[in-house]
């Protein structure tokens, strides 16, 4: 169960591209879980739309398969499934032609919230936005949801923003970065701004450095063509890691309100210094452990796309001047770990002499797996033998802490879809934020393209290339282990 049911208004949600991978893996299972948790109003409707000329029953079979594949068995019962499927409808629709739009128009109700989820490639955003408009489907309550990648550079992101702005006001555009829907990411704001404990120390005076890691064990399997045109910087750093950086570094907004939060995030992105080429390490995984190498998976024998990146960046503002942020993300690494580690400075003087603590306090915010927080503190090692100091974790797993049976932490998409219906844009990227993130990322990519740099090879199942370790070693620091 989820912690509390906050009802939302009745809605018609149209998923355009409803038979695609994202819809089947993420959107439809998330909707089912919301239905299961009693969070979907009884008469809410989900209308699938795609090019396939199938009927409602055939689409319901697609939905049923998706749920059986992607929802844990203990949440699936025949009654629940039947109830959910009865809310599902379908209409064939061609994004690039006028076929099907009148039919969709006829299916929509006038008196409920209308949301259109663009679960399609960005090249279709413009034709869909235009047709929604031309066919009169955009009522007063209409809103659209668009997925990443939101462009592949500043120019294309600007074009997309301009195209969408032609049909929709900014307050109706929900740009998804699913990392913002993760429970612990929201918790970062709660921890920072709901407690007195951390905020006074949350600055360059007390924080030595910050590490943000998103490590994955998977490769690029099945996504070769998309991924090979993107690489880790475009696929992960420009969006997910950037959002984690923003929430870690931003000033407290005056109020928890969509624009107040996004204004503060934007200031962080704009305060980022350009990254020097020597402070970026790019890697590409070799074959190993029975899995193919990156180039074979990408089906591009001469690919120079990175499946790993580590970089060091600085923020030029009062709070963070002098505190480096180290970011790294990669595929086929030792473990699946996403975390933010805030490493505090050592005490200015150790009264315990040379046996004093060598590492500062570390606050680790774990996004996955096992969402929670861990604060490393120095204590006396219990027992006789004088004053020996050790570092121990004060570990708080949210699942354990929140009740004897734990809590069912909702998937990011559950949270985000409900926020779309509620009309709450706090956890969605604003157009200027996306553009600012590309404005910072573009020169990084342009610099290595101009030099013709190739990524260094790394073995699967490890922590990425050794050069990434060096990035910190030469500053007298070290990365936290990936999965111990
Ligand atoms: C996606 C990226 O946005 O996020 C993928 O395109 C990546 O390459 C995924 O695997 C990671 O998401 P999560 O929620 O599994 O950490």
């Amino acid at each position: 169960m989820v912690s509390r049911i906050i009802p939302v208004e009745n809605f018609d949600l149209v998923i355009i591209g409803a038979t695609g991978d994202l819809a089947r893996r993420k959107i439809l299972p998330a909707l089912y879980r919301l239905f299961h948790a009693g969070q979907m109003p009884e008469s809410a409707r989900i209308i699938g739309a795609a090019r396939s000329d199938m009927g409602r029953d055939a689409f319901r079979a697609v939905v049923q398969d998706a749920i059986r594949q992607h929802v844990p068995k203990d949440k699936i019962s025949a009654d629940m499934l039947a109830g959910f499927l009865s809310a599902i409808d379908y209409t064939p629709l061609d994004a690039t032609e006028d076929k099907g739009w009148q039919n969709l128009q006829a299916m929509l109700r006038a008196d409920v919230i209308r949301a259109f989820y663009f679960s399609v490639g960005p090249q279709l955003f413009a034709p869909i936005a235009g047709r929604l408009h031309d066919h009169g489907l955009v009522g007063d309550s209409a809103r659209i949801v668009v997925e990443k990648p939101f462009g592949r550079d500043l120019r294309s992101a600007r074009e997309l923003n301009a195209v969408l702005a032609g049909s929709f006001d900014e307050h109706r555009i929900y740009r998804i970065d699913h990392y913002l829907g993760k429970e612990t990411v929201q918790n970062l704001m709660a921890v920072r701004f709901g407690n007195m404990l951390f905020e006074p120390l949350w600055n360059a005076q007390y924080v030595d450095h910050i590490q943000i890691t998103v490590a994955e064990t998977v490769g690029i399997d099945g996504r070769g063509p998309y991924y090979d045109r993107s690489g880790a910087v475009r696929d992960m750093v420009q969006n997910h890691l950037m959002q984690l950086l923003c929430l870690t570094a931003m000033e407290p907004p005056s109020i928890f309100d969509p624009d107040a939060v996004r204004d503060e995030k934007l200031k962080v992105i704009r305060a980022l210094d350009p990254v020097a080429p020597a402070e970026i390490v790019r890697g590409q995984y070799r074959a190993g452990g029975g899995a193919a190498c990156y180039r074979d998976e990408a089906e591009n024998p001469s690919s120079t796309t990175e499946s790993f990146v580590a970089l060091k960046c600085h923020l030029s503002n009062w709070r963070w001047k002098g505190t480096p942020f180290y970011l790294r993300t990669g595929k086929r690494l030792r473990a699946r770990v996403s975390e933010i580690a805030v490493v505090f400075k050592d005490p200015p003087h150790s009264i315990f002499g040379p046996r004093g603590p060598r590492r500062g306090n570390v606050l680790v915010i774990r996004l996955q797996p096992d969402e929670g927080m861990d604060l490393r503190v120095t204590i006396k090692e219990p027992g006789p033998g004088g004053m020996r100091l050790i570092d121990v974790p004060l570990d708080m797993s949210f699942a354990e802490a929140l009740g004897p049976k734990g809590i069912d932490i909702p998937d990011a998409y559950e949270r985000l879809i409900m926020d779309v219906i509620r009309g709450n844009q706090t956890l969605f990227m604003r157009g200027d934020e996306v553009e600012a993130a590309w404005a910072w990322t573009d020169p990084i990519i342009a610099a290595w393209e101009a030099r013709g740099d190739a990524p260094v090879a790394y073995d699967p199942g490890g922590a990425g290339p050794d050069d990434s370790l060096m990035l910190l070693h030469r500053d007298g620091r070290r990365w936290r282990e990936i999965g111990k």
Side-chain angles (χ1 to χ4, degrees), residues 102-166:
Q102 289 305 337
N103 198 31
L104 176 58
Q105 159 76 306
M107 289 166 96
L108 295 171
R109 295 170 289 179
D111 52 346
V112 299
I113 300 220
R114 226 174 245 194
F116 299 95
Y117 200 128
F118 292 18
S119 180
V120 293
Q123 72 284 3
L124 293 178
F125 289 179
I128 294 175
R131 283 189 168 75
L132 284 175
H133 216 257
D134 298 348
H135 290 276
L137 277 82
V138 184
D140 284 347
S141 72
R143 52 209 71 178
I144 60 170
V145 186
V146 293
E147 274 286 340
K148 73 176 267 272
F150 199 85
R152 56 176 280 106
D153 52 21
L154 177 57
R155 193 183 53 78
S156 51
R158 275 193 181 139
E159 279 170 15
L160 274 181
N161 274 337
V163 158
L164 296 181

Side-chain angles (χ1 to χ4, degrees), residues 81-104:
L81 197 51
F84 180 67
L85 292 176
S86 69
I88 305 268
D89 214 330
Y90 181 81
T91 184
L93 190 73
D94 194 325
T96 55
E97 285 175 26
D98 285 329
K99 190 179 144 213
W101 293 88
Q102 289 305 337
N103 198 31
L104 176 58

Side-chain angles (χ1 to χ4, degrees), residues 355-376:
R355 289 172 308 168
R358 284 177 308 140
R359 279 191 291 165
N361 301 119
V362 184
L363 175 69
V364 180
I365 297 132
R366 290 191 304 269
L367 272 57
Q368 56 198 23
D370 183 23
E371 293 89 341
M373 281 177 20
D374 166 353
L375 178 64
R376 293 213 143 247

